[in-house]
Amino acid sequence: MANSITFLGTGTSSGVPLIGCGCPVCLSEDVRDKRLRTSAYLQYEGLRLIIDAGPDYRQQMISAGISNPDAILLTHAHMDHIGGLDDVRSFNYLQRKAFPIYCENAVEEVLRKVFYYAFNEPKYPGAPDFEMHGIKAGVPFSIHGVEILPVRVFHGKMPIIGFRFGSLAYLTDVSHIDEASFELLKGVNLLVVSTVSYKKHHSHFSVSEALEAIEKLAPRQAFITHVSHRVGTYTEFSSQLPEGVFVAFDGLNVEF
Ligand SMILES: [Zn+2]
Ligand SMILES: [Zn+2]
Ligand SMILES: [Zn+2]
């Protein structure tokens, strides 16, 4: 079976439409302008992986018909990437075991605060059951023998993780990539990278910064995610991008 990525959510932290906003993007009737919080589902070398589990996680699992994933990988501990983790309870129930979560220690520390009830001993019956696996930037790890490379990127001042799966790299909430990480990302054919606006932002690539990173890595195809209403509608934003660079949208599936 081919490797593929399905974009489960491609919206910035507030999602699109933004609650209460009456701008043309938020009022657009194009389904590609309805963006849940950023998350992806990967089928990679026989693994079924979820990247990030924000507040729309439950809806995303149901819409994509995901029934038996192997693990959730977390990029960082902002709420739009972890807020839905309580709902791994469904997989605990169906799989009758703790659910594997892969993240850096700093992310686990936040999970222990936000989801304190899942870590309490003795365990409250029905609380989510997380099987925590620590990962380190730049150090490959394996799930069922399949290797994945966590790559250090920066989200403002915060060090976070992007992931490389063979020829695919997935980088969300990134505002800086240092040279050592560019080296680790060399040769990717498919690059997923985030942006939120044309204007410079303290913790996210602007559109031009995202395009610079794409140009530097020169993948065959690049997809933009974590999109906000500030970049225009899907159609408007798409028309501004160079050849080979596409705006991702919820439900899009791409083979790699
Ligand atoms: Zn985010
Ligand atoms: Zn809006
Ligand atoms: Zn973030």
Side-chain angles (χ1 to χ4, degrees):
M1 202 171 65
N3 295 325
S4 74
I5 179 169
T6 305
F7 291 89
L8 302 177
T10 56
T12 190
S13 58
S14 52
V16 181
L18 177 72
I19 295 172
C21 185
C23 83
V25 179
C26 290
L27 295 179
S28 164
E29 283 173 17
D30 188 335
V31 291
R32 294 168 301 186
D33 290 319
K34 310 290 180 207
R35 300 181 184 276
L36 299 177
R37 266 59 71 91
T38 292
S39 171
Y41 179 57
L42 259 99
Q43 290 176 279
Y44 178 58
E45 304 298 322
L47 290 180
R48 291 151 301 184
L49 305 170
I50 297 156
I51 308 179
D52 291 331
D56 302 315
Y57 168 83
R58 175 179 175 276
Q59 189 182 342
Q60 290 165 326
M61 292 305 105
I62 291 169
S63 306
I66 296 169
S67 59
N68 195 20
D70 295 295
I72 293 175
L73 316 184
L74 298 175
T75 58
H76 66 299
H78 279 163
M79 203 44 93
D80 58 320
H81 298 259
I82 64 165
L85 279 175
D86 183 80
D87 278 314
V88 303
R89 288 181 297 125
S90 305
F91 294 132
N92 294 151
Y93 171 73
L94 294 168
Q95 299 176 341
R96 296 176 186 281
K97 63 182 185 68
F99 191 79
I101 314 262
Y102 289 77
C103 63
E104 288 191 282
N105 289 341
V107 172
E108 181 175 337
E109 276 172 36
V110 177
L111 299 187
R112 284 179 178 276
K113 288 184 192 134
V114 175
F115 301 99
Y116 63 93
Y117 55 93
F119 294 91
N120 278 351
E121 292 292 346
K123 207 164 181 61
Y124 182 78
D129 198 357
F130 304 140
E131 180 188 289
M132 300 306 301
H133 297 263
I135 58 173
K136 287 202 171 86
V139 182
F141 65 97
S142 302
I143 302 178
H144 303 322
V146 178
E147 198 169 276
I148 298 160
L149 177 65
V151 178
R152 170 66 72 228
V153 294
F154 286 86
H155 184 20
K157 290 200 172 86
M158 193 190 349
I160 66 164
I161 287 288
F163 292 101
R164 180 169 183 168
F165 307 87
S167 61
L168 165 73
Y170 184 93
L171 312 175
T172 189
D173 294 56
V174 54
S175 61
H176 175 74
I177 306 170
D178 63 24
E179 285 307 316
S181 293
F182 268 116
E183 279 299 309
L184 297 178
L185 295 168
K186 255 189 183 165
V188 293
N189 290 330
L190 178 58
L191 176 66
V192 179
V193 68
S194 59
T195 185
V196 296
S197 60
Y198 286 99
K199 269 177 51 188
K200 199 157 176 62
H201 189 284
H202 70 99
S203 62
H204 289 278
F205 273 159
S206 63
V207 174
S208 60
E209 288 166 337
L211 292 177
E212 272 170 43
I214 292 167
E215 205 175 290
K216 195 160 168 175
L217 288 167
R220 258 183 251 148
Q221 296 185 96
F223 287 86
I224 308 265
T225 192
H226 212 282
V227 173
S228 89
H229 65 160
R230 283 173 290 177
V231 295
T233 60
Y234 170 83
T235 310
E236 287 162 352
F237 189 25
S238 294
S239 72
Q240 301 301 310
L241 298 175
E243 211 181 315
V245 183
F246 306 93
V247 184
F249 54 87
D250 293 16
L252 173 68
N253 177 270
V254 183
E255 289 192 359
F256 65 100

